[in-house]
Amino acid sequence: MPPRASLGAFLARARSALTAPAPQRASPLTLVVGNESADLDSLCSAVVYAYLRTHAPPHTLHVPISNLPRDDLKLRTEMTAALAHARLAPDDLLTLDDLPADLAPRDTRWVLVDHNALTGDLAARYAGRVVGCVDHHADEGAVPRDTGHNEPRIVETCGSCSSLVVEYCRPAWEALADAEAEAGGDADVDAHLARLSLIAVLIDTTNLKSKDKTTDKDVAAVSFLERFVPAPYARDAYFDEISAVKEDISSLSFRDVFRKDYKQWEDQSGGGVSGGRQLLGTSAIVQNLDYLVNEKAGGDEQQLLREFRSWAGEKGLDIGVIMTTAHPDGRLQREVLVWAFNEGAVASCKAFYERFKGELGLAPWRGGRLDETCEGGEWRAAWTQANIAASRKQIAPMLREAIKGGARL
């Protein structure tokens, strides 16, 4: 058996296949893509799933796509740090900018990781070509129940999507590792794959210490992955290193802070509280509102509000949301700021508050300093969140339910 390709060589092969002239391009081409926030879990899940599926029978090339423009990779400093542990650099990754303009939907098959419904421009063009998914979010019902394309449809509760990828690919991974060992091959590839998967799981579960997020599947994944990582390796040190990089947003502009971990969703039903369509955008930020006001805005809370209004205007939002996560004194803290920019959005946001304030344990932030009912049909409120178990994965469906005026997705 010839030695397996390194991760770098695999990504180079994937790039060549994707960017080849149309007559020379394989058809259909199988692409693996994470969600639009393009966080560690999405990026690592796509690379690891694509590599392992490519090297397992029937050896169909899977091309991992990072769901963001190439220029936005520089915002993912934690991904740069994680890639270094796998002897990779951001330039090795494929992004939305690498998708050929002439890549016809009929010539593609899409596998989704860390989400189960395509969004944005990808959805407009390729939604009908999704053939499988591995995800840990609420099931939106967009992926066919019977994929029939030799790809899984896995939507399960788990701390990290990477844990589900590891569980699904584990038999193939073990077979590859055993064959490599018998042939006297280099175990570096497995160590690099394991490093990428490990950090995604550890970050998403707070080093397996989050009681609300960590599941048995996450624990099993970490136990399996650490078999491949040679000494010197220390789980806590690895987690601390990447966490410190992730939480340092001091060099980012406000616009970059808002777009670093951003997701949006549009109600297409026309049957929401306001009777019309609404566009919801959520920015997850790894520092709290005190930091944003006092450090980023130099104590000027109006600057924070001006910057967020500008971002919401750029994205054309009806509802803009900031969700913060911080660890003052080592304790997990969450906050939510919701801003409705028109009367229909105000109705939806007030419905969200009335319905879920008890479940989320919402209380005015700093006595309501950021709250305001504005002229022109706007409404804004910021809260501390006592229910720290609820992240965007839980709160976004609540907001969407309030917009739709129906059952929680």
Side-chain angles (χ1 to χ4, degrees):
M1 168 183 158
R4 277 182 289 156
S6 68
L7 273 173
F10 163 69
L11 291 171
R13 176 190 171 196
R15 183 184 304 278
S16 295
L18 179 63
T19 59
Q24 302 172 26
R25 197 180 299 141
S27 180
L29 197 61
T30 301
L31 300 110
V32 184
V33 66
N35 68 48
E36 64 184 321
S37 74
D39 61 5
L40 267 177
D41 200 21
S42 280
L43 295 172
C44 293
S45 290
V47 171
V48 172
Y49 181 93
Y51 183 95
L52 292 171
R53 292 289 286 140
T54 296
H55 288 83
H59 300 286
T60 301
L61 176 65
H62 286 56
V63 178
I65 301 293
S66 301
N67 196 348
L68 77 175
R70 179 159 299 281
D71 189 53
D72 285 4
L73 275 175
K74 66 177 183 289
L75 303 179
R76 274 65 177 178
T77 50
E78 66 275 19
M79 187 63 188
T80 300
L83 288 172
H85 285 274
R87 296 182 189 169
L88 295 173
D91 285 347
D92 292 313
L93 300 180
L94 287 82
T95 71
L96 297 178
D97 293 341
D98 295 302
L99 290 174
D102 62 354
L103 186 61
R106 66 177 180 275
D107 294 328
T108 66
R109 303 165 69 248
W110 290 80
V111 179
L112 313 184
V113 292
D114 205 21
H115 64 320
N116 60 81
L118 278 176
T119 57
D121 292 341
L122 288 182
R125 187 164 174 80
Y126 299 110
R129 301 299 297 172
V130 174
V131 298
C133 68
V134 181
D135 185 36
H136 63 147
H137 295 88
D139 193 343
E140 298 189 39
V143 179
R145 292 288 172 182
D146 181 10
T147 60
H149 290 277
N150 196 35
E151 302 290 353
R153 188 192 192 281
I154 299 170
V155 183
E156 297 181 18
T157 300
C158 200
S160 173
C161 178
S162 288
S163 297
L164 298 177
V165 168
V166 169
E167 180 183 58
Y168 176 74
C169 294
R170 180 169 176 168
W173 195 342
E174 289 179 323
L176 287 168
D178 289 346
E180 191 87 11
E182 289 178 8
D186 192 339
D188 279 356
V189 177
D190 293 317
H192 296 159
L193 288 166
R195 282 274 192 173
L196 292 180
S197 294
L198 269 170
I199 197 55
V201 179
L202 296 178
I203 290 293
D204 274 3
T205 63
T206 317
N207 202 15
L208 298 183
K209 294 176 182 177
S210 171
K211 296 180 181 179
D212 301 309
K213 288 187 174 183
T214 307
T215 68
D216 290 344
K217 291 179 185 288
D218 300 302
V219 175
V222 168
S223 178
F224 170 73
L225 293 166
E226 288 183 336
R227 292 167 34 190
F228 295 111
V229 183
Y233 163 77
R235 182 191 300 173
D236 291 349
Y238 190 32
F239 171 77
D240 290 344
E241 174 198 342
I242 306 302
S243 291
V245 175
K246 179 183 178 183
E247 293 174 7
D248 182 6
I249 58 173
S250 59
S251 64
L252 300 183
S253 67
F254 266 113
R255 181 176 180 273
D256 287 346
V257 168
F258 297 142
R259 71 190 182 100
K260 179 177 180 180
D261 191 352
Y262 174 78
K263 291 183 180 180
Q264 70 179 38
W265 175 82
E266 183 175 9
D267 171 38
Q268 299 282 356
S269 68
V273 172
S274 69
R277 294 184 178 183
Q278 292 179 20
L279 185 62
L280 164 70
T282 63
S283 295
I285 300 174
V286 293
Q287 294 288 350
N288 58 23
L289 290 172
D290 278 330
Y291 176 90
L292 296 178
V293 170
N294 297 325
E295 301 296 328
K296 295 298 291 183
D300 182 3
E301 60 196 41
Q302 291 304 313
Q303 181 186 353
L304 167 63
L305 297 175
R306 286 193 299 271
E307 295 281 359
F308 192 57
R309 176 188 284 279
S310 176
W311 169 250
E314 177 182 334
K315 303 302 288 185
L317 300 182
D318 298 289
I319 300 172
V321 181
I322 292 174
M323 300 182 192
T324 74
T325 303
H327 299 84
D329 303 319
R331 297 175 294 102
L332 176 61
Q333 175 194 78
R334 294 189 188 277
E335 300 159 335
V336 184
L337 182 149
V338 174
W339 196 337
F341 293 100
N342 53 61
E343 291 182 356
V346 169
S348 296
C349 290
K350 288 184 175 180
F352 160 76
Y353 174 68
E354 291 300 328
R355 183 160 187 179
F356 298 109
K357 62 182 178 182
E359 182 175 342
L360 294 174
L362 300 179
W365 181 81
R366 299 297 184 203
R369 279 175 53 190
L370 297 180
D371 299 0
E372 187 174 6
T373 299
C374 312
E375 293 183 6
E378 295 188 13
W379 182 82
R380 183 180 66 243
W383 307 284
T384 58
Q385 181 184 321
N387 179 5
I388 58 174
S391 65
R392 178 167 59 184
K393 190 162 60 174
Q394 288 76 37
I395 295 177
M398 294 176 179
L399 285 159
R400 287 153 53 181
E401 176 183 340
I403 292 172
K404 294 173 73 71
R408 190 181 309 179
L409 296 178

